[in-house]
Amino acid sequence: MRLYAAVAAGGFRRYATYRGATLAGVFTNTVFGLIIACTYIALWDERPHLGGYDQAQALTYVWIGQAMFAVMVLQLGGGFEADLMERIRSGDIAVDLYRPADLQVWWLAQDLGRAAFQFLGRGIVPMCVGALLFPLALPSDPLRWLAFLLTLLLGATVSFALRYLVALSAFWLMDGSGVVQMSGLVSTFMSGMLLPLNVFPGGFGEVARALPWSALLQVPADVLMGERGAAGALAFQGAWAVVLLGAGRLLQRAATRRVVVQGG
């Protein structure tokens, strides 16, 4: 456990060194939050209870999304996947497999360290700006905030598990950029980043809320706003984390049986 704690700390420190990128990310998320918030105000003025949210909840959802954008890597390219795919392509993955450490847990620890920094360094400021400028439906109950933090941890684990599966596709593909782009589009839409999944009608909405991407944003937002019970939300996220991490383990086992060094 000490090894993986050190790896997580290293992941935190790695992203903490990019101060300029962090400030740019804070500025970008704040600006996009303002644009989306104004759009939501116009939309909720026309449909005051769209998706079961009032306007304050809808605005809260906007700023939670901006705070969690980098934490959950709601567009691929901000996490470990590019590094892992390059190591697979170059053949350096063979060195990783000989290390006295589990490959999947190693990358998970590093990614959780990254997520912790992104939450503290890039997530809190946009949320505070939103709270200053708009009437948000934020809870006063500390237990709900604690439950929210737990959903962030499990959501980040689900996010890792999804991206780990994407990264492992490089064992079979010469260029995994197409898979990365497709996965990024699905993640952005199905997580509820564009619109809350609660506004989708009928069977499509039910399916969207049952898929693992909802664990990244929709579930934590609903827990924070009191729209979903913490126990059920954590069970949902935990179940998807176990399933997806297990799938990653199986795919890793199948891939490492047929490692092909491409180049080098």
Side-chain angles (χ1 to χ4, degrees):
M1 289 301 294
R2 286 185 178 180
L3 171 63
Y4 300 119
V7 172
F12 186 98
R13 288 194 300 270
R14 175 186 175 185
Y15 283 84
T17 60
Y18 301 117
R19 295 185 180 90
T22 300
L23 291 174
V26 169
F27 176 78
T28 301
N29 287 132
T30 302
V31 170
F32 271 96
L34 292 171
I35 294 171
I36 298 171
C38 292
T39 304
Y40 272 35
I41 288 172
L43 181 58
W44 260 261
D45 279 343
E46 294 294 324
R47 302 283 299 276
H49 297 287
L50 183 62
Y53 292 158
D54 59 28
Q55 190 174 92
Q57 289 175 312
L59 291 170
T60 304
Y61 186 92
V62 170
W63 292 102
I64 292 173
Q66 293 305 310
M68 294 169 58
F69 185 83
V71 176
M72 300 300 177
V73 194
L74 296 179
Q75 279 187 325
L76 296 196
F80 71 94
E81 53 276 3
D83 293 340
L84 179 53
M85 293 180 88
E86 176 57 27
R87 294 188 70 80
I88 294 171
R89 189 200 64 79
S90 67
D92 291 340
I93 191 68
V95 177
D96 299 338
L97 293 171
Y98 275 108
R99 288 175 178 166
D102 183 89
L103 182 69
Q104 187 184 47
V105 180
W106 174 284
W107 286 102
L108 173 60
Q110 186 179 97
D111 196 60
L112 290 179
R114 174 208 59 79
F117 172 77
Q118 296 289 23
F119 175 69
L120 295 173
R122 186 169 166 177
I124 292 178
V125 172
M127 191 73 177
C128 291
V129 171
L132 288 172
L133 297 179
F134 300 95
L136 303 187
L138 296 174
S140 58
D141 183 0
L143 290 179
R144 200 186 301 174
W145 282 101
L146 177 60
F148 173 67
L149 292 177
L150 291 176
T151 63
L152 290 189
L153 176 60
L154 283 176
T157 304
V158 172
S159 172
F160 164 82
L162 288 166
R163 289 178 288 121
Y164 192 70
L165 291 171
V166 170
L168 290 181
S169 70
F171 276 107
W172 287 272
L173 302 175
M174 292 293 292
D175 182 2
S177 59
V179 177
V180 170
Q181 291 173 3
M182 288 298 297
S183 181
L185 290 173
V186 172
S187 178
T188 302
F189 183 77
M190 298 304 290
S191 66
M193 186 64 204
L194 298 180
L195 274 175
L197 300 181
N198 291 348
V199 309
F200 297 153
F204 178 77
E206 292 178 5
V207 170
R209 290 187 290 273
L211 292 175
W213 292 276
S214 68
L216 309 186
L217 173 55
Q218 185 70 57
V219 170
D222 279 344
V223 168
L224 184 63
M225 293 188 292
E227 292 294 310
R228 185 164 183 163
L234 293 171
F236 174 81
Q237 291 178 302
W240 271 119
V242 170
V243 168
L244 292 170
L245 289 173
R249 178 74 60 179
L250 293 174
L251 190 61
Q252 174 185 313
R253 188 176 302 169
T256 51
R257 288 199 193 105
R258 47 173 296 179
V259 173
V260 177
V261 177
Q262 301 174 15

PDB file of all heavy atoms in Angstrom, residues 244-262:
ATOM      1  N   LEU A 244     -16.290  -2.640 -14.036  1.00  0.00           N
ATOM      2  CA  LEU A 244     -15.372  -2.101 -15.042  1.00  0.00           C
ATOM      3  C   LEU A 244     -13.918  -2.404 -14.710  1.00  0.00           C
ATOM      4  O   LEU A 244     -13.118  -2.684 -15.619  1.00  0.00           O
ATOM      5  CB  LEU A 244     -15.583  -0.593 -15.166  1.00  0.00           C
ATOM      6  CG  LEU A 244     -16.931  -0.180 -15.762  1.00  0.00           C
ATOM      7  CD1 LEU A 244     -17.153   1.316 -15.611  1.00  0.00           C
ATOM      8  CD2 LEU A 244     -17.015  -0.580 -17.239  1.00  0.00           C
ATOM      9  N   LEU A 245     -13.556  -2.356 -13.432  1.00  0.00           N
ATOM     10  CA  LEU A 245     -12.195  -2.740 -13.063  1.00  0.00           C
ATOM     11  C   LEU A 245     -11.958  -4.218 -13.351  1.00  0.00           C
ATOM     12  O   LEU A 245     -10.872  -4.617 -13.803  1.00  0.00           O
ATOM     13  CB  LEU A 245     -11.934  -2.439 -11.585  1.00  0.00           C
ATOM     14  CG  LEU A 245     -11.812  -0.955 -11.215  1.00  0.00           C
ATOM     15  CD1 LEU A 245     -11.731  -0.785  -9.698  1.00  0.00           C
ATOM     16  CD2 LEU A 245     -10.583  -0.322 -11.874  1.00  0.00           C
ATOM     17  N   GLY A 246     -12.978  -5.043 -13.115  1.00  0.00           N
ATOM     18  CA  GLY A 246     -12.863  -6.459 -13.455  1.00  0.00           C
ATOM     19  C   GLY A 246     -12.708  -6.685 -14.943  1.00  0.00           C
ATOM     20  O   GLY A 246     -11.901  -7.503 -15.389  1.00  0.00           O
ATOM     21  N   ALA A 247     -13.474  -5.913 -15.743  1.00  0.00           N
ATOM     22  CA  ALA A 247     -13.339  -6.011 -17.194  1.00  0.00           C
ATOM     23  C   ALA A 247     -11.953  -5.581 -17.639  1.00  0.00           C
ATOM     24  O   ALA A 247     -11.347  -6.195 -18.536  1.00  0.00           O
ATOM     25  CB  ALA A 247     -14.404  -5.154 -17.875  1.00  0.00           C
ATOM     26  N   GLY A 248     -11.426  -4.539 -17.014  1.00  0.00           N
ATOM     27  CA  GLY A 248     -10.075  -4.096 -17.336  1.00  0.00           C
ATOM     28  C   GLY A 248      -9.047  -5.145 -16.997  1.00  0.00           C
ATOM     29  O   GLY A 248      -8.078  -5.351 -17.737  1.00  0.00           O
ATOM     30  N   ARG A 249      -9.245  -5.835 -15.880  1.00  0.00           N
ATOM     31  CA  ARG A 249      -8.328  -6.906 -15.485  1.00  0.00           C
ATOM     32  C   ARG A 249      -8.342  -8.034 -16.511  1.00  0.00           C
ATOM     33  O   ARG A 249      -7.288  -8.556 -16.899  1.00  0.00           O
ATOM     34  CB  ARG A 249      -8.745  -7.416 -14.110  1.00  0.00           C
ATOM     35  CG  ARG A 249      -7.937  -8.553 -13.558  1.00  0.00           C
ATOM     36  CD  ARG A 249      -6.588  -8.128 -13.091  1.00  0.00           C
ATOM     37  NE  ARG A 249      -6.670  -7.128 -12.044  1.00  0.00           N
ATOM     38  CZ  ARG A 249      -5.596  -6.599 -11.447  1.00  0.00           C
ATOM     39  NH1 ARG A 249      -4.386  -6.980 -11.816  1.00  0.00           N
ATOM     40  NH2 ARG A 249      -5.730  -5.685 -10.510  1.00  0.00           N
ATOM     41  N   LEU A 250      -9.537  -8.413 -16.954  1.00  0.00           N
ATOM     42  CA  LEU A 250      -9.641  -9.489 -17.943  1.00  0.00           C
ATOM     43  C   LEU A 250      -9.020  -9.080 -19.275  1.00  0.00           C
ATOM     44  O   LEU A 250      -8.322  -9.872 -19.927  1.00  0.00           O
ATOM     45  CB  LEU A 250     -11.107  -9.881 -18.133  1.00  0.00           C
ATOM     46  CG  LEU A 250     -11.793 -10.550 -16.938  1.00  0.00           C
ATOM     47  CD1 LEU A 250     -13.276 -10.755 -17.231  1.00  0.00           C
ATOM     48  CD2 LEU A 250     -11.132 -11.891 -16.614  1.00  0.00           C
ATOM     49  N   LEU A 251      -9.280  -7.842 -19.699  1.00  0.00           N
ATOM     50  CA  LEU A 251      -8.721  -7.374 -20.967  1.00  0.00           C
ATOM     51  C   LEU A 251      -7.203  -7.253 -20.885  1.00  0.00           C
ATOM     52  O   LEU A 251      -6.491  -7.584 -21.845  1.00  0.00           O
ATOM     53  CB  LEU A 251      -9.335  -6.022 -21.328  1.00  0.00           C
ATOM     54  CG  LEU A 251      -9.043  -5.502 -22.736  1.00  0.00           C
ATOM     55  CD1 LEU A 251      -9.574  -6.464 -23.792  1.00  0.00           C
ATOM     56  CD2 LEU A 251      -9.656  -4.113 -22.937  1.00  0.00           C
ATOM     57  N   GLN A 252      -6.705  -6.820 -19.748  1.00  0.00           N
ATOM     58  CA  GLN A 252      -5.259  -6.740 -19.553  1.00  0.00           C
ATOM     59  C   GLN A 252      -4.627  -8.127 -19.641  1.00  0.00           C
ATOM     60  O   GLN A 252      -3.573  -8.305 -20.258  1.00  0.00           O
ATOM     61  CB  GLN A 252      -4.963  -6.116 -18.191  1.00  0.00           C
ATOM     62  CG  GLN A 252      -3.493  -6.105 -17.793  1.00  0.00           C
ATOM     63  CD  GLN A 252      -3.299  -5.584 -16.387  1.00  0.00           C
ATOM     64  OE1 GLN A 252      -3.859  -4.562 -15.998  1.00  0.00           O
ATOM     65  NE2 GLN A 252      -2.506  -6.291 -15.594  1.00  0.00           N
ATOM     66  N   ARG A 253      -5.277  -9.113 -19.034  1.00  0.00           N
ATOM     67  CA  ARG A 253      -4.744 -10.475 -19.072  1.00  0.00           C
ATOM     68  C   ARG A 253      -4.715 -11.005 -20.500  1.00  0.00           C
ATOM     69  O   ARG A 253      -3.743 -11.635 -20.931  1.00  0.00           O
ATOM     70  CB  ARG A 253      -5.600 -11.376 -18.185  1.00  0.00           C
ATOM     71  CG  ARG A 253      -5.050 -12.776 -17.985  1.00  0.00           C
ATOM     72  CD  ARG A 253      -5.917 -13.541 -17.009  1.00  0.00           C
ATOM     73  NE  ARG A 253      -6.001 -12.864 -15.721  1.00  0.00           N
ATOM     74  CZ  ARG A 253      -6.847 -13.203 -14.761  1.00  0.00           C
ATOM     75  NH1 ARG A 253      -7.715 -14.193 -14.945  1.00  0.00           N
ATOM     76  NH2 ARG A 253      -6.851 -12.551 -13.618  1.00  0.00           N
ATOM     77  N   ALA A 254      -5.789 -10.736 -21.256  1.00  0.00           N
ATOM     78  CA  ALA A 254      -5.812 -11.178 -22.645  1.00  0.00           C
ATOM     79  C   ALA A 254      -4.766 -10.452 -23.490  1.00  0.00           C
ATOM     80  O   ALA A 254      -4.123 -11.059 -24.354  1.00  0.00           O
ATOM     81  CB  ALA A 254      -7.206 -10.929 -23.237  1.00  0.00           C
ATOM     82  N   ALA A 255      -4.569  -9.166 -23.218  1.00  0.00           N
ATOM     83  CA  ALA A 255      -3.626  -8.383 -24.009  1.00  0.00           C
ATOM     84  C   ALA A 255      -2.190  -8.795 -23.759  1.00  0.00           C
ATOM     85  O   ALA A 255      -1.385  -8.896 -24.683  1.00  0.00           O
ATOM     86  CB  ALA A 255      -3.814  -6.901 -23.687  1.00  0.00           C
ATOM     87  N   THR A 256      -1.837  -9.035 -22.488  1.00  0.00           N
ATOM     88  CA  THR A 256      -0.451  -9.322 -22.174  1.00  0.00           C
ATOM     89  C   THR A 256      -0.037 -10.720 -22.630  1.00  0.00           C
ATOM     90  O   THR A 256       1.145 -11.036 -22.638  1.00  0.00           O
ATOM     91  CB  THR A 256      -0.198  -9.183 -20.667  1.00  0.00           C
ATOM     92  OG1 THR A 256      -1.173  -9.955 -19.936  1.00  0.00           O
ATOM     93  CG2 THR A 256      -0.312  -7.729 -20.240  1.00  0.00           C
ATOM     94  N   ARG A 257      -0.994 -11.545 -23.015  1.00  0.00           N
ATOM     95  CA  ARG A 257      -0.639 -12.848 -23.582  1.00  0.00           C
ATOM     96  C   ARG A 257      -0.092 -12.707 -24.995  1.00  0.00           C
ATOM     97  O   ARG A 257       0.548 -13.599 -25.510  1.00  0.00           O
ATOM     98  CB  ARG A 257      -1.873 -13.767 -23.619  1.00  0.00           C
ATOM     99  CG  ARG A 257      -2.322 -14.276 -22.262  1.00  0.00           C
ATOM    100  CD  ARG A 257      -3.206 -15.502 -22.450  1.00  0.00           C
ATOM    101  NE  ARG A 257      -3.885 -15.825 -21.207  1.00  0.00           N
ATOM    102  CZ  ARG A 257      -5.171 -15.605 -20.949  1.00  0.00           C
ATOM    103  NH1 ARG A 257      -5.905 -15.012 -21.885  1.00  0.00           N
ATOM    104  NH2 ARG A 257      -5.709 -15.932 -19.814  1.00  0.00           N
ATOM    105  N   ARG A 258      -0.419 -11.592 -25.629  1.00  0.00           N
ATOM    106  CA  ARG A 258      -0.046 -11.419 -27.016  1.00  0.00           C
ATOM    107  C   ARG A 258       0.581 -10.042 -27.253  1.00  0.00           C
ATOM    108  O   ARG A 258       0.239  -9.332 -28.187  1.00  0.00           O
ATOM    109  CB  ARG A 258      -1.234 -11.615 -27.936  1.00  0.00           C
ATOM    110  CG  ARG A 258      -2.478 -10.882 -27.517  1.00  0.00           C
ATOM    111  CD  ARG A 258      -3.584 -10.972 -28.529  1.00  0.00           C
ATOM    112  NE  ARG A 258      -3.212 -10.318 -29.770  1.00  0.00           N
ATOM    113  CZ  ARG A 258      -3.996 -10.258 -30.847  1.00  0.00           C
ATOM    114  NH1 ARG A 258      -5.184 -10.829 -30.819  1.00  0.00           N
ATOM    115  NH2 ARG A 258      -3.599  -9.653 -31.933  1.00  0.00           N
ATOM    116  N   VAL A 259       1.467  -9.638 -26.328  1.00  0.00           N
ATOM    117  CA  VAL A 259       2.129  -8.356 -26.476  1.00  0.00           C
ATOM    118  C   VAL A 259       2.955  -8.356 -27.757  1.00  0.00           C
ATOM    119  O   VAL A 259       3.769  -9.236 -27.986  1.00  0.00           O
ATOM    120  CB  VAL A 259       3.039  -8.060 -25.256  1.00  0.00           C
ATOM    121  CG1 VAL A 259       3.850  -6.792 -25.507  1.00  0.00           C
ATOM    122  CG2 VAL A 259       2.208  -7.916 -24.012  1.00  0.00           C
ATOM    123  N   VAL A 260       2.720  -7.358 -28.576  1.00  0.00           N
ATOM    124  CA  VAL A 260       3.486  -7.183 -29.803  1.00  0.00           C
ATOM    125  C   VAL A 260       4.179  -5.834 -29.710  1.00  0.00           C
ATOM    126  O   VAL A 260       3.517  -4.799 -29.591  1.00  0.00           O
ATOM    127  CB  VAL A 260       2.591  -7.228 -31.052  1.00  0.00           C
ATOM    128  CG1 VAL A 260       3.415  -6.964 -32.318  1.00  0.00           C
ATOM    129  CG2 VAL A 260       1.892  -8.571 -31.145  1.00  0.00           C
ATOM    130  N   VAL A 261       5.502  -5.837 -29.747  1.00  0.00           N
ATOM    131  CA  VAL A 261       6.242  -4.589 -29.674  1.00  0.00           C
ATOM    132  C   VAL A 261       6.206  -3.926 -31.038  1.00  0.00           C
ATOM    133  O   VAL A 261       6.709  -4.467 -32.015  1.00  0.00           O
ATOM    134  CB  VAL A 261       7.693  -4.840 -29.224  1.00  0.00           C
ATOM    135  CG1 VAL A 261       8.474  -3.518 -29.239  1.00  0.00           C
ATOM    136  CG2 VAL A 261       7.748  -5.497 -27.869  1.00  0.00           C
ATOM    137  N   GLN A 262       5.605  -2.765 -31.087  1.00  0.00           N
ATOM    138  CA  GLN A 262       5.489  -2.026 -32.349  1.00  0.00           C
ATOM    139  C   GLN A 262       6.584  -0.973 -32.389  1.00  0.00           C
ATOM    140  O   GLN A 262       6.583  -0.041 -31.601  1.00  0.00           O
ATOM    141  CB  GLN A 262       4.115  -1.367 -32.452  1.00  0.00           C
ATOM    142  CG  GLN A 262       2.975  -2.380 -32.388  1.00  0.00           C
ATOM    143  CD  GLN A 262       1.633  -1.673 -32.336  1.00  0.00           C
ATOM    144  OE1 GLN A 262       1.537  -0.499 -32.619  1.00  0.00           O
ATOM    145  NE2 GLN A 262       0.607  -2.415 -31.970  1.00  0.00           N
TER     146      GLN A 262
END
